[in-house]
Amino acid sequence: MKRKKLYVLAVVAVAVLALYQNIRALPAKPQRQNTAMVYSQTTPIEQAKAEYGKAIKVARVIDGDTIELANGERLRYIGIDTPEEVDPRKLVQCFAREAAEENKALVEGKLIIFYQDVSDRDKYGRWLGFVYLEYGTFVNLELVQRGFAFSYPYPPDISKADEFRQAETEARQAKRGLWAECATHRDPTGREQTN
């Protein structure tokens, strides 16, 4: 009986040691300004109001620059604009489906952390945010750099406008994404769009 107890203790000790070594081998997570908190799908919306800087899961991608979060709220990316796919007032624009698919590949089902600029919501009630994947990719900028989005400064939320404008210029010159596939024009408000 003593042998059996010693054997069980030895197996448990080896398992604990292996677990400890695996945990120590994990890379340290970068320090963030705020501690991330994951919202579950069952969290009531009133309890899960936007708390900028905390992690939340993306439930689904609506289009190239808008997502639905696990708490049922919608979030519009600040500072960029992608070709329209779901606007009932417009035909599907060139590169809209590609932009939505790229956004889906980047964020759908993943944890994101978002931050506001000046405004917290737009006129449609959607949260506004600079969106980052948990491991650091700046999604808004990534979409512009890859040629899936236009730089779109919309005051007062313009703190990263120069960064987005530079990324758009580089994507345009390199003929990435929509810059290789689509003709563009400016609408009456000065907003650049695909045909």
Side-chain angles (χ1 to χ4, degrees):
M1 190 65 153
K2 284 185 180 182
R3 271 186 149 164
K4 190 174 182 181
K5 284 183 182 179
L6 286 175
Y7 176 77
V8 170
L9 283 174
V11 169
V12 170
V14 168
V16 168
L17 181 60
L19 181 62
Y20 175 74
Q21 288 174 339
N22 285 339
I23 290 172
R24 285 189 48 214
L26 291 174
K29 287 193 173 186
Q31 293 296 320
R32 292 207 170 90
Q33 199 171 20
N34 295 314
T35 303
M37 177 179 158
V38 179
Y39 294 107
S40 74
Q41 294 217 1
T42 59
T43 304
I45 291 175
E46 286 304 311
Q47 293 176 2
K49 293 266 188 197
E51 293 189 44
Y52 293 102
K54 295 188 178 181
I56 187 166
K57 188 173 184 178
V58 175
R60 71 182 180 102
V61 166
I62 295 169
D63 63 18
D65 54 29
T66 308
I67 56 179
E68 185 175 310
L69 305 172
N71 64 6
E73 292 277 1
R74 290 186 176 192
L75 171 69
R76 169 71 162 81
Y77 299 167
I78 299 173
I80 72 169
D81 189 37
T82 59
E84 295 295 335
E85 181 180 22
V86 295
D87 188 335
R89 301 167 297 172
K90 299 178 181 177
L91 295 173
V92 174
Q93 294 177 328
C94 180
F95 230 67
R97 289 186 179 103
E98 292 85 346
E101 286 302 314
E102 185 69 12
N103 194 21
K104 187 180 284 191
L106 281 168
V107 302
E108 193 166 79
K110 297 177 184 169
L111 291 176
I112 60 159
I113 297 171
F114 66 98
Y115 301 92
Q116 78 178 81
D117 192 351
V118 175
S119 310
D120 61 346
R121 291 186 184 261
D122 67 8
K123 64 183 180 182
Y124 304 107
R126 299 175 296 191
W127 287 333
L128 295 171
F130 295 121
V131 176
Y132 295 83
L133 292 175
E134 208 179 18
Y135 51 83
T137 299
F138 183 14
V139 176
N140 308 47
L141 184 61
E142 191 79 10
L143 289 168
V144 177
Q145 287 174 331
R146 293 182 186 182
F148 290 96
F150 298 99
S151 168
Y152 181 51
Y154 192 83
D157 302 295
I158 58 170
S159 68
K160 296 189 183 294
D162 290 342
E163 192 174 355
F164 294 142
R165 194 174 301 112
Q166 177 64 34
E168 180 185 295
T169 299
E170 291 170 10
R172 186 186 300 244
Q173 289 171 348
K175 297 204 180 303
R176 284 187 220 120
L178 68 87
W179 303 110
E181 303 292 326
C182 308
T184 64
H185 69 280
R186 294 206 181 272
D187 71 9
T189 66
R191 184 176 181 175
E192 193 161 17
Q193 297 186 341
T194 59
N195 56 344

